[in-house]
Amino acid sequence: MAVGTRLVVGVTGDVDMATAPRWRAVLLGAVDRIGEPIGAPAVSLTRGRDPLRADPADGVLWPWRRITSLVVDLTGAGFFGVAGVNLLLAVRSAAVEAGGWALVVAPAGGSARRAIDACGAVERVLALPDLDAALDQFDRAR
């Protein structure tokens, strides 16, 4: 069974019609990493080394560790408009298409959470109140 890990991307500043294209490139670039192995090249079993007994300090890639999810942390976001909500929906869809998933950290009372709530998209973008809640959600899903 594959064990995955998450890639956390923090969004800072405003997310509006002017900045959404830049954030789209950043976040979709992160989505493109879903499925990537983590670590150094894998150990060849034909050389007599057992990867289950290899020392991680040797730079051995545990082949079952791959990026499986993206956490978009909006804690540092300033103004967050409808363009940002549309971006989150696109990122979630792209993550699912890539075989992974995406969560959003949007603290209660923040501009991002207000926009997500106003658009009725809390469940569609999987918005959680803080990074700990997002990481717990990830751990439960594994």
Side-chain angles (χ1 to χ4, degrees):
M1 178 170 152
V3 175
T5 191
R6 63 245 169 216
L7 181 61
V8 179
V9 177
V11 173
T12 58
D14 295 343
V15 181
D16 54 22
M17 287 179 56
T19 62
R22 178 176 58 98
W23 283 115
R24 175 180 288 274
V26 169
L27 295 176
L28 292 180
V31 166
D32 287 344
R33 296 196 56 205
I34 290 177
E36 276 186 15
I38 299 183
V43 172
S44 170
L45 291 176
T46 60
R47 292 178 30 192
R49 292 189 64 193
D50 180 355
L52 295 178
R53 299 191 192 287
D55 183 351
D58 292 336
V60 173
L61 168 67
W62 302 101
W64 53 87
R65 292 197 43 89
R66 298 188 180 279
I67 295 172
T68 57
S69 66
L70 172 64
V71 177
V72 180
D73 187 351
L74 300 174
T75 303
F79 174 81
F80 197 87
V82 174
V85 176
N86 288 332
L87 171 59
L88 295 176
L89 292 169
V91 166
R92 169 109 170 101
S93 178
V96 170
E97 280 184 35
W101 49 291
L103 294 174
V104 172
V105 174
S111 137
R113 186 57 182 243
R114 286 192 304 272
I116 292 167
D117 287 344
C119 292
V122 172
E123 290 180 10
R124 289 186 292 159
V125 299
L126 296 177
L128 297 163
D130 57 47
L131 188 56
D132 288 338
L135 299 180
D136 287 346
Q137 179 74 22
F138 171 79
D139 291 340
R140 280 196 300 271
R142 285 196 316 183

